[in-house]
Amino acid sequence: MDERCPHPGRSRARLLGFSAAIAVFGASVTACVGVIGDADDGTGEAESLVLAAPALPRLTAEQYRNTLFDLFGPSMPKAPLEDDTKPFLFYNIGASSTTLSEFGVQQYEESADAITRYAFADPARRAALVGCEPAAPGDACVEGFLRRFGRRVLRRPLTSDELGRWVTVSQTLADPSAWEGLRLAVSGLLQSPFFLYRVEVGVADEASPGRRKLTGYEMATRLAFLLWNQAPDDALLDAAEKGELDEPEGVAVAAERLLDDPKARAAMQTFFRQYLDLGRIDGIQRDPAAYPYFTPTIADAMRREVELLVDDVVFESRGDARSIFSTRKTFVNADLAALYGVDAPGATPSTFVPVELPADGPRAGLLTLGAFLTMNAHETRTSPTARGKYVRERVLCLEVPAPPPGVDTTLDPPMGDPKTVREQMEAHRNNPACAACHQFMDPPGFLFEHFDSSGYYRTVFEGDLPIDSSGDLDGKPLANARELAAVLETEPRVGRCMVQQLYRHAQGRVETKGERLALEDLASRFESASFDFRTLLIELVTHDAFRHIGEEESP
């Protein structure tokens, strides 16, 4: 078994139960690895849809905690876990491709122990959880609870062997009482690889050689973790048991129910936070003497502004999802209203209100809002390179290669007369080792030069130097960020990029060349739905590329 999978530890629950679960897991799953596919290089044509092997991701920290909150309540202990990683933007991809350390395994053990001690220490809590009072270790009460609870934890019914093993654990460790044995059995279940990893290996599909069709329970798992960012509830598992998730129509019905729940909004915010890289706002600071509008709390307000904008476009208005890069509508509190210079009746430091940015003003869309402008700037100056790189990678899904080894990417401080950032960057654009990448990134980045590193709009650079905000996007001359927003409003690559990013997030890996047709098909459906993001989610979860996987590669 791959080393990234959990392995037995030292607790009594593990000695009698967890090691057996590992053995079953190893026998059932060929390898606990994440397949990161080759990114599409844009060459050639895929003749048919060829799906990749399963990724088998570990639960992210957020998915783990969301699931346990649902089982035990939000007041349960929150033990530390190993940090998630996000290669290719998303934690799901990191969960598919990174190795869990031995210390990480120990943290899962300590978390399970703390949670079960909390749940079973209080008679009222344990009675609410179990639903009955054990008369003896391993009795019908214990067995019935482990059957019900095990289905929620493993996201499928326990086999008779599994149920028997966990009942035996509860009997063997029933010291001083049946309750303690049951607690340790639950602790062991929470350390099972079938809980910590999403085991979605499917069954052979006779109608489609080379593919495996996900079972109903595997589809329930995929749906729940994509649309709720947590494990499926009983209703979704019941739908799987009835066979309702075996066909696209049943999957669509289930997905609509999940999307109507508030948990779906939180899950989609998780996706957009990673897609838009909002985590980089954390810890941003500016010198208040140089940037008087950058208050101590404005970075949090900038993040909240984007979250409200996403929620409005995706769930409230269900408009063109691409409009987050071009709309003049946004949501501001008092601090943001002052930074943007807009009237916002009713706004306070803690209250956000919708506003319409002026039609003749400099701002339109997310790329002119404080979050983007500050997190893609240095502490004391702007960064056309960082801003242009974001446009290329996050908005258009174009690859920007890393700088060649040994190349100095810092700007020398200006000597003599003051210089604008554009003038200071001449050295990079004239250096043959840097020129190609900077000519790719900087032209769209220069469009934001009127916005300083706090997101404030300025008309002159320090020393009263005039600001040149002209640039271009792939050879199309543009005067400023507003003109870029107008281009992005109808730019086909924006919609296709959203599809690609959602696909990677949902699959827990980068798409392969063989999945090009799936992305093209989903992009076409997205366009036909007027770029309604909720419709895209339904199209994705009912698509063959989501409901099937490729055959496991031979070792």
Side-chain angles (χ1 to χ4, degrees), residues 66-73 76 129 149 152-153 190 195 231:
N66 286 349
T67 298
L68 293 180
F69 288 172
D70 197 42
L71 293 171
F72 296 101
M76 68 168 213
L129 175 67
F149 186 78
R152 288 293 304 277
V153 172
L190 297 183
F195 170 61

Side-chain angles (χ1 to χ4, degrees), residues 305 308 330-337 340 342-344 347-348 351-355 357:
E305 177 186 19
L308 290 169
T330 190
F331 298 82
V332 300
N333 69 348
D335 292 342
L336 289 172
Y340 298 164
V342 297
D343 292 328
T348 71
T351 303
F352 287 75
V353 297
V355 297
L357 297 169

